[in-house]
Amino acid sequence: MKPVWDSAAALLMITGGLLGMIFPLGKIASEAGVSPVIWSFVISFGVATTLVVVDAVRCGLRRPDAHRLRYFVLAGTISYCIPNIIVFAAIPHLGAGFTAIMFTLSPVITLCLSMLLKLRRPNGLGIAGIAVGFAGALVVATTRGELGQPASPLWVALGLLIPVALALGNIYRTMDWPGHAGALELAYGSHFAAAGVLLLVGIWSPWGFDPSALEAVPLETLVQVLSSAGMFVFFFRLQVVGGPVYLSQMGYVAAALGLVSGTLFLDEHYALLTWVGAAIIAVGVAMTTRAQSQSA
């Protein structure tokens, strides 16, 4: 495993592939009546519980200090609660594949925020990549979801908030990373905090907090928990090896899986313009990636 553990490219493919499973599984759960808050809670609580047991077996548990507690709450809320609720609320309206495309904008927005915060100064190629990525996003947005089932502009706008939240999470986790913290510790700590926030959101939101609908999708629930737990083991390692901008590119791998699985297995259909926009975004991501490697 060491060659994989030290390879940013291998970590990116594994993390993105496991992340991409949330789109088809999220649509199946939504059609079974599972609310976005409950499915998001299933992911966070399932990930946290699985990984804390793994860390306990490895004798890695330790008492978190004030810095870690702050990190858990903020990272869990920004990186997991907000984007996951939007994703699972948007999928019934936009389709699993269309919602997955929103993840491809995360690298571009992450680089924009890096520029604003002076964490990274991109070259001309990086700036051009940002422009191309946004152009692709505009093309995708005009198609408004599945073919023949156009979503309201409000749902498209909410979908575009997904990469913004992901980018903010990428930047925050890098800027406030606790010293000498392990990947597992940060993963289950952030997800326990996210689960707590989601519980409060469920109690006070119109959705409520009724997990009874999960009885209709027991296998999908188990697969979602295991794939998400596996993903976050590699996720934090990728953050260390690749950095925030490279990490954000896992959204492109996830989007490819979401778009293909939605088309092949969930009977979703998208206009040619949607595929063209996705391809334009891919070009923009490739340009920003190239710019990052040149800067490095």
Side-chain angles (χ1 to χ4, degrees), residues 217-230:
V217 284
L219 179 59
E220 289 83 355
T221 301
L222 177 62
V223 172
Q224 181 66 87
V225 169
L226 294 178
S227 62
S228 295

Side-chain angles (χ1 to χ4, degrees), residues 18-267:
L18 291 172
L19 173 64
M21 295 183 69
I22 72 169
F23 301 109
L25 291 172
K27 183 167 185 176
I28 293 171
S30 175
E31 291 175 344
V34 181
S35 76
V37 171
I38 292 295
W39 198 246
S40 299
F41 178 86
V42 163
I43 293 175
S44 286
F45 187 75
V47 167
T49 304
T50 303
L51 296 185
V52 78
V53 170
V54 172
D55 209 23
V57 171
R58 297 171 62 238
C59 300
L61 295 179
R62 56 181 172 177
R63 186 190 300 272
D65 56 22
H67 184 186
R68 281 172 168 75
L69 290 174
R70 180 188 70 212
Y71 183 93
F72 294 160
V73 172
L74 293 179
T77 302
I78 299 170
S79 301
Y80 312 132
C81 293
I82 295 174
N84 280 351
I85 288 176
I86 298 175
V87 164
F88 300 127
I91 282 177
H93 303 273
L94 300 177
F98 189 94
T99 306
I101 293 175
M102 297 297 102
F103 273 61
T104 63
L105 289 170
S106 177
V108 177
I109 298 177
T110 301
L111 188 54
C112 284
L113 294 176
S114 296
M115 290 169 54
L116 292 174
L117 297 173
K118 299 181 179 179
L119 296 177
R120 181 180 296 275
R121 182 177 298 174
N123 54 25
L125 180 62
I127 294 174
I130 291 173
V132 171
F134 275 120
L138 291 176
V139 172
V140 170
T142 60
T143 63
R144 294 170 55 186
E146 292 187 68
L147 191 63
Q149 304 179 50
S152 72
L154 175 60
W155 281 109
V156 176
L158 283 173
L160 290 171
L161 289 179
I162 295 170
V164 175
L166 294 172
L168 287 171
N170 292 338
I171 296 296
Y172 169 72
R173 289 193 309 275
T174 297
M175 294 182 65
D176 198 33
W177 190 281
H180 307 293
L184 280 181
E185 176 189 7
L186 296 182
Y188 62 69
S190 298
H191 275 288
F192 269 131
V197 172
L198 287 164
L199 177 61
L200 295 176
V201 170
I203 292 173
W204 292 100
S205 74
W207 284 308
F209 197 84
D210 181 9
S212 60
L214 293 173
E215 296 175 0
V217 284
L219 179 59
E220 289 83 355
T221 301
L222 177 62
V223 172
Q224 181 66 87
V225 169
L226 294 178
S227 62
S228 295
M231 188 269 287
F232 279 102
V233 170
F234 295 99
F235 177 88
F236 279 90
R237 179 60 181 172
L238 179 58
Q239 174 109 28
V240 173
V241 175
V245 177
Y246 194 85
L247 169 79
S248 65
Q249 293 173 70
M250 71 180 189
Y252 185 68
V253 180
L257 181 60
L259 193 58
V260 171
S261 62
T263 302
L264 295 181
F265 305 116
L266 301 176
D267 197 30

